[in-house]
Amino acid sequence: MYIKKIVLKNFKSFNKKVEIPFFKGFTVISGPNGSGKSNIVDAILFCLGLTPSTRYLRADRVGDLIYSGNGKLGEAEVTVIFDNDGEEIKITRKIKRTSKGNYTYNYLNGKSVNLAEIQRLLQNFGIYSDAYNVVMQGDVTRIAEMTPFQRRKIIDDIAGISEFDEKKAKAIEELEAVRENIERINTILIEVSNQLEQLKADREEALRYKSLIEEKELNLKYLKINKFLSLNRRKRMIKRDIENLEMRKDKILKEIIDINSKLNELNTKADEISAEIYRLADESYKTIQNEIIEISSKREGLKSSIEMKKKEIKDIEDEKTKLLVSISKLKEEVSKVEEELQKFSIQKMSVQEVLDDLESKKSLIISKLNLMDSAYSELRDQLLKKKEILDELKERKSSKVNERDRLLEVIRRIGMEIEDIEGEIETLRKESITLNEELKELNKKYKEVEKELEAAIKRRNEADNKIFSIRNQISSLEEEKKNLEVELSKIKAQLSLLESSFSKAVELILEAKSRKAMPGVFGTVSQLCEVDEKFAVALEVSAGNSLQYLVVENEDDAIRCIKYLKQIDGGRATFIPLNKIKKNFGDIKLDRSVLKEKGVIDYAINLIKCEKKFKPVFNFVYRDTLVVEDIDTAKRLMDGRRIVTLDGDIVERAGTISGGSKQKSKGILATKELFEKEKKLEEEITVIESRKAEMLGNLRLVEEERRIHQSNVEEINSRLSELSSKISVAESKLRDNENRIEELKEKLTYKQKERAEIYERMSGVEEEIEKIDEEIRKISGEIEEIEAKMRGSEIPALTRKLEEIKEEIDRNSRAMYSITKNLENSEFKLQQLKDLVLEKEIKIDELDRKIENLKKEIENDSQLYSELGERLITLKEKEKEVGESVKDLRDKRSKLLAEIKKLEKDRDEKRFEVTGIEETIKAKEESLKDIEEQIRELGEIEYDEEEVQNIPRMEHVKRRLEEIELELKKFGDVNLKAIQDYEEVKARKEELMSKKLTLEKERSEILEKIERYEKMKRDTFFETFNAINMHFKEIISKLAEGEGELYLDNADDPFNSGLYMRVRVRDKPIQKIESMSGGEKSLVALSLIFAIQKFKPAPFYAFDEVDMFLDGINVEKVAKLISERSKNAQFIVVSLRKPMLEKADSIVGVTLSKDNSSTVTGIKMKA
Amino acid sequence: VREVEDPLKVPHEENIEETLIRIEAELLKYFRIKDAILFSELVGMKERKEKVTYFLSILHLAYRKIIELRQERIFEEDIEIRLIR
């Protein structure tokens, strides 16, 4: 493996990316001082992490390694690429200068890693940071100048003996620990022996005391057996009571079951009725309601549509009368036109007669003319031709003129029609505009009313929802009340049970107190506090009977109560006068240190929550009783303390311990809580009742509100339907108008087109007339010429006469034409009028039919109206019926609910009774348990019938017990524990003795271990020393051309001796290094370095100006040595010395470029 | 970074100053006729010792901003030497 390439980016003096290839063998880096050649070796050290700190890289901080020339780039990077038998290993290290500080990043083959991973990898290849494969000039001088002792340390480091030192140090530590343990055990042993001596005397006294105690216990046993037998008797009696109560309970439970089944029946019936009510009230009532609304709105609609139709009939009749009037006018006009026609026909007949006469005269004259002067016949023919042409022209002209006049007349008529149409369109438009405005107004109004209706419906629905939600709230309130009542009955049962657990006297006093007949009584101790459920058992057991003590204001109150009990023979009770107890138990001293002990919870007094003024009461009850987690903690802390465990086991101050099966809290301490709960429940029930009453009131109000909204909805609805029918009428009228306008428009365009065509024809006719006039003028001219030629004969006079007749004919024919024209016009007019009359008559028929239809519609509507009226009546009756049936159903339901309530009450009483029985059974079971508990407390009593017989009489037993007590009193503080303690201490002593033995054995093992490390350390050292010395001798003989060796001044104690070097350079005497010249020193130091490298070979070596102080010859020798060794490992040597460069396989030249940054060139010396 | 010392203070085998003058003169001769010269042209077939002397000298002349050296790919190309005018 060797370094294949180094890439520098902005590192130290290299301001740009520089890639420097390296080769196996011997490479020298050279160049003027200060050009940056050492920076290349620094780059290797930095990248591979081979130096402990940047100071080795001639930089104070890592940030200084960044090329400072171009300030802005705050980043530098060095990559070293190894070639490991063809496999490339790329190691990169980057420095970033940021505002927050300098950060370095390491990459292996591009992957981010930490420096330790890189160092581990390099170590696998024999590259260590302290292994001398990178030698700076300082290292050579340091080795040359260092003391022998320091030099020997080099061998220590190379041999790696520090590992043994560490192991040895650790062993010494262990040794020290064992010694301390042995010493500690010895001191304890002394103490235990003294303790044993002391306990011996106490033990004898304790044994004496113990035998008395045993005798006492025997007698107590007799007491116990006696008690045991009497308890058993009581037990049997209670069992019998429980059996009777169980039977009574079963009987009641059966009754409850019957009630429940009855209740279920009634409840399902009630639900059915509710569903029916809901269905009727909500569904059918609503459907009826909606149908009523629908029908009434329909009827309103019908009514208004009937009225509208009647109005429409009236309008139509008006229109009809108008039409009739116009028909009669038209008929007058027709008769006028007919008269005109008659007049024109008479005129026509008279003109015809005149014409016939004129025709006969004309033919006469023509025959005359024919007979006359043949000379003029040609002229006359010509004249006649011309005159015929003229006449023809005139005829054509007059027909054209007639045509034009006719066209003019048609145009005039069409113009009149167009005017009429435009007029009608205009009126229709105006009417439409007004209709539109009216429609807009109506629509606007319709929308407003619609909104009004929506709002009204919304209000009505809101009212419906309010009704529905109030009804729901009422039923959920009823539900809630029922649950609270059940809970209340339970609490009352619990309280009565608790009260039943008080003695009769206490009950009587409490009962008097509740009647306010006993002032100054606060209540029992248990009623005046609250406790956490977790501590209830411990606090109940440790308080014992005092929980029933009654707390009173002062001693007078107590005396008054006692007198009352005496008076009513109510039994006995204990009273705690608050004023008295305050004096002695106002405050009690508690040793707080014990609270730190493991398993200790607190003093009982601290676990009680009560009013401040009652604190002395609880100080008196609990005093310094300690609550602990379990019996083991109690045992540990029991000397002289009263301790109770969470399970209710109790250790008395005198040392007696009582306990056993897990106790269950009797709930006595929870009475205060229960009273508060009871009071709270009662308050809640009354609140619910008042809320229910308030809701019922609300319900009635909302129902009234709903009725108003409903009628409001109906009124608005009818207004709306009236508006909608007005709108539909206006819309249909508007539609008719628009259709009519469309029709008229089409007619208008048709007429206008027709008029335009006629205009066109007329202008054509006028053009023809002009042409004819032109021709007439021409022909007249020609006629005048011919006439001039024919003057002097009669012919002209006849011709003139003929002319005159012709003109007369002409005039008469024009008159005939105008008459026929007038006739035609009149006929046309008559026809038009007749058409108009016909049209109007048709319209009248149409109107009649419309009237007929409307009448039929009115008839139908009225029939429908009346039918709907009947339907409305039936619906209203149905509504009433439904209302009544809903009311009946509601009454039926409330009867049922009342019955249910009664049954439920009855059931609850029975349940209450059952709970009472259960509670009493429980109480009896409790007392049975107590008895059994007491029996258990008595513990195992082995006795046999015989023993029972031998039991002395209880008086003897009691007297003997008293004697024993007296004797026991003499004893003072007997340390019973002394017997046990004596045994324990004895056992402890034996235990300590055996521990001591094991520790001593351990100590000797450690000592052996230390010796072993010493030996291994020594052997490893000499193995390394000898190997390096061998290499040193070989190398020095080459370099110094003499001999040399390493030696220790005290080989027996190598780690306290120094390492010396003695060398004979050529023919000079043997010298120690200390007495050599600088160059010789460097040479010898270098030899040691080469020897170390040979002992611990690495894949590459870097030397930085190690030849600085050697003379030329020695440089050559070192160069030669390096060249030889570079066959097996890569050597990179920074040097200025020519002999070194001359031996190199390749030279890397480093100098400064124009911008004063380092620049690199390279030449190969070997081919 | 170490202070830049006078490159000549360090002990060399021979007086490098004379060598630098000689080689600079030789270079100037070339630069009269062309702008740049390659290192291989400069050293031609000279002996190993001479090659080392020439290489060290051009490093020092470049350091003194007399000439400028350019070699894009180190070892793989020849070194181009130019006069800094």
Side-chain angles (χ1 to χ4, degrees), chain A residues 254-270 895-896 898-904 906-907:
Chain A
K254 268 200 205 83
E255 282 162 12
I256 288 171
I257 290 159
D258 298 344
I259 292 170
N260 273 335
S261 64
K262 202 146 191 294
L263 272 173
N264 287 339
E265 228 176 81
L266 293 175
N267 273 318
T268 36
K269 232 187 237 157
K895 257 194 227 106
L896 264 177
E899 207 186 328
I900 287 166
K901 207 165 179 203
K902 193 174 146 298
L903 278 172
E904 275 170 354
D906 193 17
R907 180 188 61 189

PDB file of all heavy atoms in Angstrom, chain A residues 254-270 895-896 898-904 906-907:
ATOM      1  N   LYS A 254     -88.785 -11.409  45.192  1.00  0.00           N
ATOM      2  CA  LYS A 254     -89.798 -11.972  44.266  1.00  0.00           C
ATOM      3  C   LYS A 254     -90.835 -10.896  43.967  1.00  0.00           C
ATOM      4  O   LYS A 254     -91.176 -10.615  42.808  1.00  0.00           O
ATOM      5  CB  LYS A 254     -90.440 -13.193  44.909  1.00  0.00           C
ATOM      6  CG  LYS A 254     -89.710 -14.522  44.526  1.00  0.00           C
ATOM      7  CD  LYS A 254     -90.650 -15.732  44.770  1.00  0.00           C
ATOM      8  CE  LYS A 254     -89.786 -16.980  45.008  1.00  0.00           C
ATOM      9  NZ  LYS A 254     -89.319 -17.058  46.450  1.00  0.00           N
ATOM     10  N   GLU A 255     -91.238 -10.206  45.063  1.00  0.00           N
ATOM     11  CA  GLU A 255     -92.263  -9.157  44.878  1.00  0.00           C
ATOM     12  C   GLU A 255     -91.711  -8.088  43.918  1.00  0.00           C
ATOM     13  O   GLU A 255     -92.403  -7.622  43.003  1.00  0.00           O
ATOM     14  CB  GLU A 255     -92.608  -8.519  46.233  1.00  0.00           C
ATOM     15  CG  GLU A 255     -93.541  -9.376  47.111  1.00  0.00           C
ATOM     16  CD  GLU A 255     -93.493  -8.922  48.584  1.00  0.00           C
ATOM     17  OE1 GLU A 255     -92.914  -7.805  48.843  1.00  0.00           O
ATOM     18  OE2 GLU A 255     -93.960  -9.655  49.449  1.00  0.00           O
ATOM     19  N   ILE A 256     -90.468  -7.755  44.090  1.00  0.00           N
ATOM     20  CA  ILE A 256     -89.855  -6.702  43.231  1.00  0.00           C
ATOM     21  C   ILE A 256     -89.867  -7.173  41.776  1.00  0.00           C
ATOM     22  O   ILE A 256     -90.200  -6.409  40.863  1.00  0.00           O
ATOM     23  CB  ILE A 256     -88.409  -6.403  43.691  1.00  0.00           C
ATOM     24  CG1 ILE A 256     -88.430  -5.641  45.033  1.00  0.00           C
ATOM     25  CG2 ILE A 256     -87.644  -5.565  42.664  1.00  0.00           C
ATOM     26  CD1 ILE A 256     -87.094  -5.469  45.694  1.00  0.00           C
ATOM     27  N   ILE A 257     -89.579  -8.437  41.569  1.00  0.00           N
ATOM     28  CA  ILE A 257     -89.534  -8.972  40.196  1.00  0.00           C
ATOM     29  C   ILE A 257     -90.912  -8.804  39.571  1.00  0.00           C
ATOM     30  O   ILE A 257     -91.058  -8.318  38.442  1.00  0.00           O
ATOM     31  CB  ILE A 257     -89.078 -10.443  40.180  1.00  0.00           C
ATOM     32  CG1 ILE A 257     -87.561 -10.507  40.556  1.00  0.00           C
ATOM     33  CG2 ILE A 257     -89.262 -11.047  38.785  1.00  0.00           C
ATOM     34  CD1 ILE A 257     -87.126 -11.857  41.047  1.00  0.00           C
ATOM     35  N   ASP A 258     -91.962  -9.181  40.370  1.00  0.00           N
ATOM     36  CA  ASP A 258     -93.321  -9.025  39.833  1.00  0.00           C
ATOM     37  C   ASP A 258     -93.554  -7.567  39.435  1.00  0.00           C
ATOM     38  O   ASP A 258     -94.007  -7.243  38.340  1.00  0.00           O
ATOM     39  CB  ASP A 258     -94.364  -9.442  40.891  1.00  0.00           C
ATOM     40  CG  ASP A 258     -94.178 -10.936  41.259  1.00  0.00           C
ATOM     41  OD1 ASP A 258     -93.463 -11.602  40.441  1.00  0.00           O
ATOM     42  OD2 ASP A 258     -94.664 -11.394  42.312  1.00  0.00           O
ATOM     43  N   ILE A 259     -93.159  -6.670  40.405  1.00  0.00           N
ATOM     44  CA  ILE A 259     -93.389  -5.233  40.128  1.00  0.00           C
ATOM     45  C   ILE A 259     -92.647  -4.845  38.836  1.00  0.00           C
ATOM     46  O   ILE A 259     -93.183  -4.182  37.953  1.00  0.00           O
ATOM     47  CB  ILE A 259     -92.890  -4.369  41.311  1.00  0.00           C
ATOM     48  CG1 ILE A 259     -93.783  -4.619  42.559  1.00  0.00           C
ATOM     49  CG2 ILE A 259     -92.908  -2.882  40.964  1.00  0.00           C
ATOM     50  CD1 ILE A 259     -93.251  -4.010  43.840  1.00  0.00           C
ATOM     51  N   ASN A 260     -91.407  -5.297  38.724  1.00  0.00           N
ATOM     52  CA  ASN A 260     -90.581  -4.920  37.541  1.00  0.00           C
ATOM     53  C   ASN A 260     -91.269  -5.358  36.264  1.00  0.00           C
ATOM     54  O   ASN A 260     -91.389  -4.593  35.306  1.00  0.00           O
ATOM     55  CB  ASN A 260     -89.192  -5.577  37.629  1.00  0.00           C
ATOM     56  CG  ASN A 260     -88.245  -4.697  38.444  1.00  0.00           C
ATOM     57  OD1 ASN A 260     -88.450  -3.478  38.515  1.00  0.00           O
ATOM     58  ND2 ASN A 260     -87.295  -5.298  39.110  1.00  0.00           N
ATOM     59  N   SER A 261     -91.781  -6.624  36.282  1.00  0.00           N
ATOM     60  CA  SER A 261     -92.394  -7.107  35.021  1.00  0.00           C
ATOM     61  C   SER A 261     -93.616  -6.238  34.724  1.00  0.00           C
ATOM     62  O   SER A 261     -93.832  -5.781  33.598  1.00  0.00           O
ATOM     63  CB  SER A 261     -92.774  -8.594  35.146  1.00  0.00           C
ATOM     64  OG  SER A 261     -93.773  -8.707  36.135  1.00  0.00           O
ATOM     65  N   LYS A 262     -94.357  -5.896  35.835  1.00  0.00           N
ATOM     66  CA  LYS A 262     -95.551  -5.044  35.630  1.00  0.00           C
ATOM     67  C   LYS A 262     -95.091  -3.688  35.067  1.00  0.00           C
ATOM     68  O   LYS A 262     -95.651  -3.152  34.112  1.00  0.00           O
ATOM     69  CB  LYS A 262     -96.265  -4.852  36.977  1.00  0.00           C
ATOM     70  CG  LYS A 262     -97.756  -4.459  36.846  1.00  0.00           C
ATOM     71  CD  LYS A 262     -98.616  -5.069  38.010  1.00  0.00           C
ATOM     72  CE  LYS A 262    -100.082  -4.873  37.689  1.00  0.00           C
ATOM     73  NZ  LYS A 262    -100.453  -3.416  37.684  1.00  0.00           N
ATOM     74  N   LEU A 263     -93.982  -3.212  35.642  1.00  0.00           N
ATOM     75  CA  LEU A 263     -93.461  -1.893  35.219  1.00  0.00           C
ATOM     76  C   LEU A 263     -93.089  -1.947  33.751  1.00  0.00           C
ATOM     77  O   LEU A 263     -93.434  -1.047  32.971  1.00  0.00           O
ATOM     78  CB  LEU A 263     -92.211  -1.521  36.045  1.00  0.00           C
ATOM     79  CG  LEU A 263     -92.508  -0.779  37.365  1.00  0.00           C
ATOM     80  CD1 LEU A 263     -91.223  -0.612  38.184  1.00  0.00           C
ATOM     81  CD2 LEU A 263     -93.104   0.595  37.061  1.00  0.00           C
ATOM     82  N   ASN A 264     -92.446  -3.033  33.359  1.00  0.00           N
ATOM     83  CA  ASN A 264     -92.015  -3.139  31.946  1.00  0.00           C
ATOM     84  C   ASN A 264     -93.238  -3.045  31.053  1.00  0.00           C
ATOM     85  O   ASN A 264     -93.273  -2.319  30.071  1.00  0.00           O
ATOM     86  CB  ASN A 264     -91.299  -4.474  31.698  1.00  0.00           C
ATOM     87  CG  ASN A 264     -89.925  -4.436  32.349  1.00  0.00           C
ATOM     88  OD1 ASN A 264     -89.426  -3.312  32.603  1.00  0.00           O
ATOM     89  ND2 ASN A 264     -89.375  -5.575  32.683  1.00  0.00           N
ATOM     90  N   GLU A 265     -94.302  -3.821  31.531  1.00  0.00           N
ATOM     91  CA  GLU A 265     -95.547  -3.819  30.737  1.00  0.00           C
ATOM     92  C   GLU A 265     -96.047  -2.385  30.570  1.00  0.00           C
ATOM     93  O   GLU A 265     -96.267  -1.888  29.474  1.00  0.00           O
ATOM     94  CB  GLU A 265     -96.571  -4.619  31.536  1.00  0.00           C
ATOM     95  CG  GLU A 265     -97.363  -5.684  30.749  1.00  0.00           C
ATOM     96  CD  GLU A 265     -98.279  -6.445  31.748  1.00  0.00           C
ATOM     97  OE1 GLU A 265     -99.355  -5.885  32.059  1.00  0.00           O
ATOM     98  OE2 GLU A 265     -97.815  -7.466  32.308  1.00  0.00           O
ATOM     99  N   LEU A 266     -96.111  -1.725  31.752  1.00  0.00           N
ATOM    100  CA  LEU A 266     -96.686  -0.373  31.743  1.00  0.00           C
ATOM    101  C   LEU A 266     -95.780   0.552  30.926  1.00  0.00           C
ATOM    102  O   LEU A 266     -96.243   1.360  30.128  1.00  0.00           O
ATOM    103  CB  LEU A 266     -96.831   0.141  33.181  1.00  0.00           C
ATOM    104  CG  LEU A 266     -97.876  -0.601  34.051  1.00  0.00           C
ATOM    105  CD1 LEU A 266     -97.845  -0.072  35.495  1.00  0.00           C
ATOM    106  CD2 LEU A 266     -99.265  -0.441  33.451  1.00  0.00           C
ATOM    107  N   ASN A 267     -94.492   0.399  31.097  1.00  0.00           N
ATOM    108  CA  ASN A 267     -93.543   1.272  30.373  1.00  0.00           C
ATOM    109  C   ASN A 267     -93.694   1.096  28.873  1.00  0.00           C
ATOM    110  O   ASN A 267     -93.792   2.075  28.128  1.00  0.00           O
ATOM    111  CB  ASN A 267     -92.082   0.955  30.766  1.00  0.00           C
ATOM    112  CG  ASN A 267     -91.692   1.759  32.013  1.00  0.00           C
ATOM    113  OD1 ASN A 267     -92.036   2.941  32.097  1.00  0.00           O
ATOM    114  ND2 ASN A 267     -91.085   1.109  32.985  1.00  0.00           N
ATOM    115  N   THR A 268     -93.792  -0.216  28.430  1.00  0.00           N
ATOM    116  CA  THR A 268     -93.930  -0.419  26.986  1.00  0.00           C
ATOM    117  C   THR A 268     -95.241   0.235  26.527  1.00  0.00           C
ATOM    118  O   THR A 268     -95.281   0.938  25.513  1.00  0.00           O
ATOM    119  CB  THR A 268     -93.973  -1.912  26.613  1.00  0.00           C
ATOM    120  OG1 THR A 268     -94.686  -2.581  27.654  1.00  0.00           O
ATOM    121  CG2 THR A 268     -92.560  -2.503  26.522  1.00  0.00           C
ATOM    122  N   LYS A 269     -96.314   0.059  27.377  1.00  0.00           N
ATOM    123  CA  LYS A 269     -97.599   0.679  26.983  1.00  0.00           C
ATOM    124  C   LYS A 269     -97.399   2.191  26.877  1.00  0.00           C
ATOM    125  O   LYS A 269     -97.776   2.839  25.907  1.00  0.00           O
ATOM    126  CB  LYS A 269     -98.652   0.361  28.060  1.00  0.00           C
ATOM    127  CG  LYS A 269     -99.955  -0.264  27.458  1.00  0.00           C
ATOM    128  CD  LYS A 269    -101.041  -0.409  28.505  1.00  0.00           C
ATOM    129  CE  LYS A 269    -101.497  -1.888  28.583  1.00  0.00           C
ATOM    130  NZ  LYS A 269    -102.115  -2.234  29.862  1.00  0.00           N
ATOM    131  N   ALA A 270     -96.704   2.741  27.906  1.00  0.00           N
ATOM    132  CA  ALA A 270     -96.505   4.214  27.930  1.00  0.00           C
ATOM    133  C   ALA A 270     -95.708   4.608  26.683  1.00  0.00           C
ATOM    134  O   ALA A 270     -96.040   5.562  25.976  1.00  0.00           O
ATOM    135  CB  ALA A 270     -95.739   4.614  29.187  1.00  0.00           C
ATOM    136  N   LYS A 895    -101.780   8.968  33.329  1.00  0.00           N
ATOM    137  CA  LYS A 895    -102.314   8.026  34.347  1.00  0.00           C
ATOM    138  C   LYS A 895    -101.322   6.871  34.477  1.00  0.00           C
ATOM    139  O   LYS A 895    -100.903   6.504  35.587  1.00  0.00           O
ATOM    140  CB  LYS A 895    -103.686   7.512  33.887  1.00  0.00           C
ATOM    141  CG  LYS A 895    -104.864   8.225  34.662  1.00  0.00           C
ATOM    142  CD  LYS A 895    -106.200   7.487  34.466  1.00  0.00           C
ATOM    143  CE  LYS A 895    -107.326   8.521  34.100  1.00  0.00           C
ATOM    144  NZ  LYS A 895    -107.725   8.492  32.699  1.00  0.00           N
ATOM    145  N   LEU A 896    -100.929   6.403  33.302  1.00  0.00           N
ATOM    146  CA  LEU A 896     -99.989   5.249  33.313  1.00  0.00           C
ATOM    147  C   LEU A 896     -98.699   5.641  34.048  1.00  0.00           C
ATOM    148  O   LEU A 896     -98.228   4.915  34.910  1.00  0.00           O
ATOM    149  CB  LEU A 896     -99.615   4.890  31.858  1.00  0.00           C
ATOM    150  CG  LEU A 896    -100.424   3.763  31.193  1.00  0.00           C
ATOM    151  CD1 LEU A 896     -99.992   3.585  29.726  1.00  0.00           C
ATOM    152  CD2 LEU A 896    -100.150   2.452  31.945  1.00  0.00           C
ATOM    153  N   ALA A 898     -98.307   7.879  36.258  1.00  0.00           N
ATOM    154  CA  ALA A 898     -98.547   7.998  37.703  1.00  0.00           C
ATOM    155  C   ALA A 898     -98.494   6.583  38.299  1.00  0.00           C
ATOM    156  O   ALA A 898     -97.821   6.339  39.299  1.00  0.00           O
ATOM    157  CB  ALA A 898     -99.920   8.637  37.947  1.00  0.00           C
ATOM    158  N   GLU A 899     -99.199   5.671  37.598  1.00  0.00           N
ATOM    159  CA  GLU A 899     -99.234   4.296  38.127  1.00  0.00           C
ATOM    160  C   GLU A 899     -97.798   3.739  38.187  1.00  0.00           C
ATOM    161  O   GLU A 899     -97.375   3.170  39.176  1.00  0.00           O
ATOM    162  CB  GLU A 899    -100.095   3.421  37.214  1.00  0.00           C
ATOM    163  CG  GLU A 899    -100.723   2.220  37.968  1.00  0.00           C
ATOM    164  CD  GLU A 899    -101.453   1.278  36.984  1.00  0.00           C
ATOM    165  OE1 GLU A 899    -101.981   1.837  35.968  1.00  0.00           O
ATOM    166  OE2 GLU A 899    -101.402   0.054  37.167  1.00  0.00           O
ATOM    167  N   ILE A 900     -97.028   4.055  37.075  1.00  0.00           N
ATOM    168  CA  ILE A 900     -95.637   3.580  37.026  1.00  0.00           C
ATOM    169  C   ILE A 900     -94.887   4.155  38.216  1.00  0.00           C
ATOM    170  O   ILE A 900     -94.175   3.460  38.929  1.00  0.00           O
ATOM    171  CB  ILE A 900     -94.959   4.008  35.693  1.00  0.00           C
ATOM    172  CG1 ILE A 900     -95.534   3.157  34.541  1.00  0.00           C
ATOM    173  CG2 ILE A 900     -93.450   3.900  35.747  1.00  0.00           C
ATOM    174  CD1 ILE A 900     -95.220   3.694  33.151  1.00  0.00           C
ATOM    175  N   LYS A 901     -95.119   5.467  38.429  1.00  0.00           N
ATOM    176  CA  LYS A 901     -94.380   6.146  39.505  1.00  0.00           C
ATOM    177  C   LYS A 901     -94.690   5.463  40.834  1.00  0.00           C
ATOM    178  O   LYS A 901     -93.819   5.160  41.638  1.00  0.00           O
ATOM    179  CB  LYS A 901     -94.798   7.624  39.558  1.00  0.00           C
ATOM    180  CG  LYS A 901     -93.699   8.536  40.128  1.00  0.00           C
ATOM    181  CD  LYS A 901     -94.021  10.003  39.826  1.00  0.00           C
ATOM    182  CE  LYS A 901     -92.886  10.812  40.442  1.00  0.00           C
ATOM    183  NZ  LYS A 901     -93.298  12.175  40.704  1.00  0.00           N
ATOM    184  N   LYS A 902     -96.001   5.162  41.023  1.00  0.00           N
ATOM    185  CA  LYS A 902     -96.412   4.560  42.298  1.00  0.00           C
ATOM    186  C   LYS A 902     -95.704   3.211  42.441  1.00  0.00           C
ATOM    187  O   LYS A 902     -95.066   2.943  43.467  1.00  0.00           O
ATOM    188  CB  LYS A 902     -97.948   4.372  42.292  1.00  0.00           C
ATOM    189  CG  LYS A 902     -98.522   4.044  43.695  1.00  0.00           C
ATOM    190  CD  LYS A 902    -100.066   4.011  43.624  1.00  0.00           C
ATOM    191  CE  LYS A 902    -100.567   2.938  44.598  1.00  0.00           C
ATOM    192  NZ  LYS A 902    -100.079   1.584  44.212  1.00  0.00           N
ATOM    193  N   LEU A 903     -95.757   2.453  41.318  1.00  0.00           N
ATOM    194  CA  LEU A 903     -95.126   1.119  41.377  1.00  0.00           C
ATOM    195  C   LEU A 903     -93.617   1.286  41.633  1.00  0.00           C
ATOM    196  O   LEU A 903     -93.050   0.579  42.458  1.00  0.00           O
ATOM    197  CB  LEU A 903     -95.323   0.380  40.028  1.00  0.00           C
ATOM    198  CG  LEU A 903     -96.684  -0.330  39.857  1.00  0.00           C
ATOM    199  CD1 LEU A 903     -96.823  -0.853  38.424  1.00  0.00           C
ATOM    200  CD2 LEU A 903     -96.785  -1.493  40.855  1.00  0.00           C
ATOM    201  N   GLU A 904     -93.050   2.276  40.971  1.00  0.00           N
ATOM    202  CA  GLU A 904     -91.596   2.463  41.146  1.00  0.00           C
ATOM    203  C   GLU A 904     -91.307   2.811  42.594  1.00  0.00           C
ATOM    204  O   GLU A 904     -90.387   2.304  43.204  1.00  0.00           O
ATOM    205  CB  GLU A 904     -91.094   3.589  40.212  1.00  0.00           C
ATOM    206  CG  GLU A 904     -90.791   3.080  38.819  1.00  0.00           C
ATOM    207  CD  GLU A 904     -90.535   4.220  37.828  1.00  0.00           C
ATOM    208  OE1 GLU A 904     -90.721   5.420  38.243  1.00  0.00           O
ATOM    209  OE2 GLU A 904     -90.164   3.945  36.661  1.00  0.00           O
ATOM    210  N   ASP A 906     -93.097   2.050  45.111  1.00  0.00           N
ATOM    211  CA  ASP A 906     -93.317   0.834  45.902  1.00  0.00           C
ATOM    212  C   ASP A 906     -92.066  -0.054  45.772  1.00  0.00           C
ATOM    213  O   ASP A 906     -91.503  -0.533  46.768  1.00  0.00           O
ATOM    214  CB  ASP A 906     -94.555   0.120  45.274  1.00  0.00           C
ATOM    215  CG  ASP A 906     -95.057  -0.968  46.200  1.00  0.00           C
ATOM    216  OD1 ASP A 906     -94.645  -0.880  47.395  1.00  0.00           O
ATOM    217  OD2 ASP A 906     -95.774  -1.896  45.763  1.00  0.00           O
ATOM    218  N   ARG A 907     -91.586  -0.163  44.482  1.00  0.00           N
ATOM    219  CA  ARG A 907     -90.391  -1.012  44.232  1.00  0.00           C
ATOM    220  C   ARG A 907     -89.190  -0.455  44.986  1.00  0.00           C
ATOM    221  O   ARG A 907     -88.438  -1.172  45.630  1.00  0.00           O
ATOM    222  CB  ARG A 907     -90.089  -1.037  42.729  1.00  0.00           C
ATOM    223  CG  ARG A 907     -88.876  -1.897  42.376  1.00  0.00           C
ATOM    224  CD  ARG A 907     -88.494  -1.753  40.949  1.00  0.00           C
ATOM    225  NE  ARG A 907     -88.132  -0.349  40.656  1.00  0.00           N
ATOM    226  CZ  ARG A 907     -87.928   0.094  39.416  1.00  0.00           C
ATOM    227  NH1 ARG A 907     -88.063  -0.698  38.381  1.00  0.00           N
ATOM    228  NH2 ARG A 907     -87.601   1.355  39.207  1.00  0.00           N
TER     229      ARG A 907
END
